[in-house]
Amino acid sequence: QMGFWDDHSTAQEFIRNNMIVHQGKGLGYAASTKEELGFVTQFSLETGIVLDPVYSGKALYHFFQNVVLKDPETYKGKNVLFWHTGGNLGLF
């Protein structure tokens, strides 16, 4: 058997039972707030990781605001995945 779960559940059941998805679209496609743009800039300066303001930057901003800062105890000691999907072409 190949896969990452032991029982015979479907992928959809696994996701529903083991993942939490947070909305992070903000104002919508390619519409960023000053706070989102400031976060993307500061994050790039501090980490060297460049995020585009349309997808990954906006998603990570909302992740920090709604998960890391607002509700840190819920995720303390847990595995958290932020999937950086690229989008660097949005920088040009």
Side-chain angles (χ1 to χ4, degrees), residues 13-69:
E13 289 170 337
F14 177 83
I15 291 169
R16 287 181 188 218
N17 293 330
N18 295 284
M19 299 180 94
I20 298 171
V21 177
H22 294 273
Q23 187 280 109
K25 70 177 184 173
L27 296 176
Y29 178 77
S32 300
T33 64
K34 288 181 183 180
E35 292 80 13
E36 290 167 342
L37 294 175
F39 174 84
V40 169
T41 302
Q42 193 64 36
F43 186 84
S44 298
L45 291 171
E46 291 180 10
T47 66
I49 300 171
V50 179
L51 303 168
D52 74 284
V54 176
Y55 295 111
S56 294
K58 187 179 292 191
L60 190 59
Y61 168 80
H62 285 276
F63 174 79
F64 266 88
Q65 294 300 311
N66 296 306
V67 176
V68 176
L69 299 178

Side-chain angles (χ1 to χ4, degrees), residues 63-83:
F63 174 79
F64 266 88
Q65 294 300 311
N66 296 306
V67 176
V68 176
L69 299 178
K70 187 185 277 185
D71 193 14
E73 289 302 313
T74 296
Y75 302 95
K76 191 174 188 174
K78 305 249 172 113
N79 294 318
V80 175
L81 170 69
F82 177 81
W83 194 319

Side-chain angles (χ1 to χ4, degrees), residues 4-5 9-16:
F4 52 87
W5 55 86
S9 65
T10 66
Q12 184 177 27
E13 289 170 337
F14 177 83
I15 291 169
R16 287 181 188 218

